[in-house]
Amino acid sequence: MVSENWKTLTRPLLDENPITLQILGICSALAVTTSLDTALVMTIAVTAVLALSGGAISLVRHHLPHAIRIIVQITIIASLVIIVDLVLKAFFFEIGQRLSVFVGLIVTNCIVLGRAEGFAMRNGVVTSMLDGIGNGLGYGLILMLVGGVREFFGRGSLFGKQFLIPVSQGGGFEPLHIMLLPPSAFFIIAGIIWYIRRKRPAQVEKPEFQIQVDEKS
Amino acid sequence: MVDEVVSDRPSKVLQVALGIALVCALLVSFTAVTLRPYYIANLEAERMARLASILDALNESGQAKRFDDIEARVVNLETGAYAEKLDPATYDARRAANDPNASVAIPAELDLSGIKRRASHAVVYLLRKGDGTVDVIILPVRGVGYQSALYAYLALSADTREILALKFYEQGETPGLGSQIQNPRWESQWPGKQALDSEGKVSIRFDAISGATRTSIGVDRLLKFWLGDFGFGPYLNRVRAGEG
């Protein structure tokens, strides 16, 4: 049972990563990864919402009439997101302001509803919470990777600590401004997906169509 | 989908929906009430930081000022005189604006910025020159943007004709569009702008924000309102007459 729990927790890190395998939650992955500290706070916020919503939905799953299950899930998720937003406003004011709308948009993050409907509705409370934490960490892993690359090459810093001195301040580092713009997140995420699938060919999807070979010619 | 069939009877559906809504509402309200003092403290810190940033903007133009030099005074908006009985440190203009006894309704034709009521008093901040004459006046202004209340500090020169800075310290406008009113580059257009024309009428022209027309209109209207007769007009008249 312990090893089963461990698997639930670690599977979403690489084998079933919500971003690179399930391709969910891309919107926020583009928006909040211009620096490592916003990526880290976003990771913690999403992980908290995933774990708590997984647990809460799993707890009430035997009492949920089928007809209203989605709206109940959304109600629970939205309440948790509001609570997380309030906590950020109270204790992490400055960084909460930089994340602005993206905290509120966790409600519409496909990972949260996806795990609620796909996992928490069918599994026990502890397992569902572990699955939530695992998926949050899997999401966070990619976020931190992307955020690290973007902040390092876009600003020459990590967590706001300057490592490369830009030309404008007399150093030898020319910041890559594209790294601070959304397209760079697409490139980096695509690169990560390519690398993982190269190492683990089992993740490669089968092509939906095959080109017909013309046998006459 | 679910591992056992749950009854879809309307009574059950209603029961579950009401129950979940109630629990969620309680949780959210409890958190909101508990954390509110921390949030208010953060907003207050933000307000003070923005006030201090006005000094930074002035310092860049060579007028060395320190935060301790700021002198707070309460002004009676109707007469324009200082209200010596009220302590600027404890006067809460925001609470007063919602208190029927401490505020007045703004006549609809004068209510350019749509705030409906204003407090009867306001806390202004003064910076003095070495010889004690007023150098800079900082006025609290507020209005309505596209979807939120806007709060700002407006710094004026002693003759009240020139704007020295405009800093918004609280707003909930669309991120990336209306929220550009807090962008340093947009703020940098304000120093040196005229507030009143040669006849003493309010006249302000500034660069609006593309894609945030209603926020820009809101900024325009709130400035016109607060510099006008129902805003700080009487006070500014007194300042110009040398009674500040």
Side-chain angles (χ1 to χ4, degrees), chain B residues 135-210:
Chain B
D135 190 16
V136 178
I137 310 160
I138 301 172
L139 307 174
V141 295
R142 69 187 174 98
V144 179
Y146 169 45
Q147 53 181 8
S148 70
L150 309 175
Y151 290 85
Y153 282 117
L154 174 69
L156 291 176
S157 63
D159 65 2
T160 76
R161 291 183 184 277
E162 189 187 335
I163 294 175
L164 300 176
L166 177 68
K167 299 263 181 191
F168 284 87
Y169 60 86
E170 211 184 302
Q171 53 91 12
E173 297 295 280
T174 319
L177 294 172
S179 69
Q180 297 290 335
I181 53 175
Q182 284 186 320
N183 181 332
R185 203 188 290 175
W186 187 80
E187 287 175 339
S188 70
Q189 68 170 307
W190 290 101
K193 253 188 208 320
Q194 73 159 19
L196 307 175
D197 63 13
S198 52
E199 291 164 12
K201 275 192 171 161
V202 181
S203 159
I204 297 170
R205 300 179 71 82
F206 65 97
D207 284 342
I209 299 163
S210 303

Side-chain angles (χ1 to χ4, degrees), chain A residues 86-94, chain B residues 35-48:
Chain A
L86 288 170
V87 171
L88 280 181
K89 275 183 176 154
F91 300 112
F92 302 96
F93 186 71
E94 194 266 338
Chain B
L35 295 181
R36 194 162 168 76
Y38 297 95
Y39 179 54
I40 299 281
N42 284 332
L43 284 183
E44 183 63 14
E46 173 80 2
R47 185 178 74 82
M48 294 312 267

Side-chain angles (χ1 to χ4, degrees), chain A residues 176-187:
Chain A
L176 292 167
H177 283 296
I178 187 158
M179 283 294 168
L180 301 179
L181 301 172
S184 72
F186 271 123
F187 302 149

Side-chain angles (χ1 to χ4, degrees), chain B:
Chain B
M1 204 64 239
V2 201
D3 46 1
E4 65 186 77
V5 179
V6 180
S7 158
D8 266 6
R9 268 182 300 117
S11 62
K12 173 81 177 172
V13 169
L14 267 179
Q15 240 176 349
V16 173
L18 282 176
I20 300 263
L22 195 68
V23 172
C24 287
L26 276 176
L27 268 177
V28 169
S29 333
F30 177 76
T31 321
V33 172
T34 325
L35 295 181
R36 194 162 168 76
Y38 297 95
Y39 179 54
I40 299 281
N42 284 332
L43 284 183
E44 183 63 14
E46 173 80 2
R47 185 178 74 82
M48 294 312 267
R50 297 296 283 179
L51 192 54
S53 76
I54 288 189
L55 295 192
D56 292 341
L58 295 176
N59 285 342
E60 273 168 29
S61 61
Q63 296 162 292
K65 291 280 191 295
R66 287 175 304 117
F67 196 70
D68 299 339
D69 295 337
I70 294 184
E71 176 189 338
R73 300 289 289 270
V74 180
V75 168
N76 181 329
L77 289 174
E78 199 185 334
T79 62
Y82 290 119
E84 306 294 352
K85 280 180 193 159
L86 291 170
D87 179 6
T90 55
Y91 183 71
D92 186 345
R94 203 174 289 199
R95 178 174 288 175
N98 292 322
D99 179 352
N101 297 322
S103 64
V104 286
I106 304 166
E109 69 275 13
L110 292 176
D111 191 11
L112 293 171
S113 112
I115 51 178
K116 297 194 174 65
R117 293 189 81 80
R118 68 147 172 73
S120 51
H121 294 77
V123 180
V124 303
Y125 300 92
L126 302 174
L127 286 166
R128 293 185 188 275
K129 284 185 194 147
D131 60 6
T133 54
V134 173
D135 190 16
V136 178
I137 310 160
I138 301 172
L139 307 174
V141 295
R142 69 187 174 98
V144 179
Y146 169 45
Q147 53 181 8
S148 70
L150 309 175
Y151 290 85
Y153 282 117
L154 174 69
L156 291 176
S157 63
D159 65 2
T160 76
R161 291 183 184 277
E162 189 187 335
I163 294 175
L164 300 176
L166 177 68
K167 299 263 181 191
F168 284 87
Y169 60 86
E170 211 184 302
Q171 53 91 12
E173 297 295 280
T174 319
L177 294 172
S179 69
Q180 297 290 335
I181 53 175
Q182 284 186 320
N183 181 332
R185 203 188 290 175
W186 187 80
E187 287 175 339
S188 70
Q189 68 170 307
W190 290 101
K193 253 188 208 320
Q194 73 159 19
L196 307 175
D197 63 13
S198 52
E199 291 164 12
K201 275 192 171 161
V202 181
S203 159
I204 297 170
R205 300 179 71 82
F206 65 97
D207 284 342
I209 299 163
S210 303
T213 308
R214 288 180 57 184
T215 307
S216 305
I217 291 175
V219 172
D220 183 54
R221 289 186 175 163
L222 78 88
L223 287 176
K224 283 184 177 145
F225 172 78
W226 286 103
L227 288 173
D229 293 339
F230 214 77
F232 286 105
Y235 170 65
L236 295 177
N237 283 337
R238 272 177 177 258
V239 172
R240 272 193 298 275
E243 295 165 38

